[in-house]
Amino acid sequence: LMIAGGVVAVAALLGSCTTMSKDQCLAGAWGEKGYADGTSGYPMTRLDDHAKACAKYQVAPNPAAYGSAREDGLRTYCTLERGWAEGRAGNTYYGVCRPEEEQAFVPAYQDGLRLHEVEDAFEAAQGALSSAEARIENREDKLEAKQNELRGEGLTDEQRDRIRDRIQDVRGEIRDARRNARDARDALDQAEWDVRRVRRELSGRYPV
């Protein structure tokens, strides 16, 4: 599965932050924590992160209680509906479902992820266009200010030359920004088409 490639990298990130507070560790509700992790689709290695978080409080986990409850939680997680929701949210799948469950979960997850990615591309293109348009406006204001400055009285030839050079620079920046805006509009059009296409393809199977 393509989605399995990101599991190792993201799993490493999971251990980089404290997963349980002091109160949670002292409460020792390992079944409750296991069920919550199962419904969230976390791998069993999540228990190692909890163990590290609780070690500073001299609290050891209960693997049996955690693991059993996590399996119960996974039954809620490993469904077609949840696969779709996880993909739509752009969440990582850690390969936690049984093969028979993956037959429904994984295709739905991949479909949801595909729609998530084209919608992300659409938003990125919108941002790029807005940025380019703002840059055009900023540079046009700067150009007008420099042109007004050039018409001022009492300037030396050297000062006028310097202003003219800056005017040429700003005009070049405007051309670049307009080119960027054209590219962003093309990317936005393509991204919008992609979103419509993917939604159309998936509309008969999922609530899009």
Side-chain angles (χ1 to χ4, degrees):
L1 294 175
M2 292 174 56
I3 51 180
V7 170
V8 175
V10 180
L13 292 176
L14 290 176
S16 64
C17 58
T18 299
T19 60
M20 291 179 65
S21 67
K22 179 179 180 180
D23 289 344
Q24 289 174 321
C25 292
L26 295 177
W30 294 104
E32 180 181 329
K33 194 65 176 177
Y35 184 82
D37 285 352
T39 58
S40 297
Y42 282 117
M44 190 63 186
T45 53
R46 184 71 165 173
L47 183 59
D48 296 335
D49 301 329
H50 298 328
K52 292 175 184 176
C54 292
K56 66 184 72 172
Y57 310 115
Q58 290 77 51
V59 175
N62 183 332
Y66 177 89
S68 176
R70 175 179 166 274
E71 287 298 320
D72 290 339
L74 285 175
R75 281 192 280 275
T76 298
Y77 177 83
C78 297
T79 64
L80 180 148
E81 293 78 12
R82 188 61 181 273
W84 166 253
E86 291 292 302
R88 286 286 287 112
N91 294 334
T92 298
Y93 171 53
Y94 296 102
V96 295
C97 299
R98 292 188 291 267
E100 61 272 22
E101 295 168 333
E102 284 193 334
Q103 292 179 11
F105 181 94
V106 170
Y109 173 82
Q110 291 176 328
D111 286 339
L113 192 62
R114 185 155 60 104
L115 181 55
H116 172 80
E117 288 171 349
V118 295
E119 288 178 340
D120 259 10
F122 178 77
E123 291 181 6
Q126 283 183 315
L129 179 57
S130 295
S131 177
E133 289 176 338
R135 184 174 173 80
I136 291 170
E137 184 176 355
N138 174 273
R139 291 304 183 267
E140 286 179 340
D141 288 345
K142 185 166 290 188
L143 176 62
E144 182 178 0
K146 285 297 177 182
Q147 288 172 332
N148 289 337
E149 185 180 349
L150 186 61
R151 288 191 286 269
E153 297 180 358
L155 297 173
T156 65
D157 290 342
E158 182 180 352
Q159 288 173 324
R160 291 184 185 278
D161 288 342
R162 191 158 53 244
I163 295 170
R164 290 190 184 99
D165 288 343
R166 182 54 185 147
I167 286 174
Q168 289 303 111
D169 290 342
V170 173
R171 283 174 173 161
E173 292 169 0
I174 291 173
R175 286 194 297 271
D176 289 343
R178 286 175 176 166
R179 183 164 53 250
N180 291 340
R182 287 193 298 272
D183 291 343
R185 287 190 191 97
D186 290 342
L188 183 60
D189 289 343
Q190 179 63 52
E192 185 176 13
W193 186 87
D194 287 340
V195 169
R196 289 177 177 174
R197 173 181 55 80
V198 173
R199 283 181 176 171
R200 186 168 57 249
E201 290 174 4
L202 302 178
S203 61
R205 287 174 278 170
Y206 310 100
V208 297

